[in-house]
Amino acid sequence: MSAISLLRGHAEGGHLEGSGPGHRRGSLPWAQQVDRRQECVVVRVEGELDAAVSAEFFDTVDRALQSSCGAVVIDLRATRFLSLRAAVGLGARRTDYCDGPDLRIVAGGSGVERALEVTGVRSLFACYPSMRTALDS
């Protein structure tokens, strides 16, 4: 089972459109504002990012990339599995949205890093050791 969250960072601390952790149902995306220097959208994946959830994930990423923010951070720290197809899809978005917000990845597990490496996608993204670094860059 996987959960995909959409968090939009802006300095106020409230929830966007009435959503947030208290209103989360199942694996539906939700948004929460966080305090950072520039406005960022964070897309967080918990569990497995495979064919079963990739359509919802990339729909969420595409909406984030079309927003008026400075950066979109893909938080894969809680992702246990990243399919090779999903890794390639991240690389495609990096090139497709080159004029949009900066797309960043924070990956935690060795399996996720391996999928990014094997597909050649890792070299397209700067390496951020933490969410704080990715959000503050």
Side-chain angles (χ1 to χ4, degrees):
M1 174 115 159
S2 298
I4 300 168
S5 304
L6 174 67
L7 302 106
R8 185 177 186 89
H10 183 45
E12 287 301 319
H15 299 301
L16 295 176
E17 301 170 6
S19 60
H23 296 86
R24 188 172 177 192
R25 284 177 238 113
S27 63
L28 298 175
W30 55 276
Q32 180 180 9
Q33 296 177 350
V34 294
D35 184 14
R36 294 288 177 236
R37 277 186 264 153
Q38 70 176 1
E39 187 167 316
C40 296
V41 175
V42 177
V43 179
R44 178 179 168 91
V45 179
E46 298 174 3
E48 299 172 351
L49 182 45
D50 55 14
V53 297
S54 64
E56 179 184 6
F57 170 72
F58 284 116
D59 178 57
T60 303
V61 171
D62 291 342
R63 284 186 295 130
L65 287 167
Q66 294 167 8
S67 69
S68 59
C69 65
V72 174
V73 180
I74 309 295
D75 181 2
L76 300 176
R77 294 173 301 156
T79 306
R80 293 186 310 268
F81 173 79
L82 176 66
S83 72
L84 297 179
R85 180 172 285 170
V88 169
L90 285 171
R93 268 122 186 117
R94 177 70 171 176
T95 56
D96 291 348
Y97 290 95
C98 61
D99 293 332
D102 186 23
L103 183 60
R104 304 170 185 172
I105 293 178
V106 179
S110 60
V112 171
E113 284 291 343
R114 181 73 176 139
L116 295 171
E117 287 288 336
V118 166
T119 57
V121 171
R122 178 32 96 195
S123 63
L124 299 175
F125 296 91
C127 189
Y128 295 98
S130 68
M131 280 300 293
R132 179 174 300 263
T133 306
L135 292 170
D136 288 344
S137 294

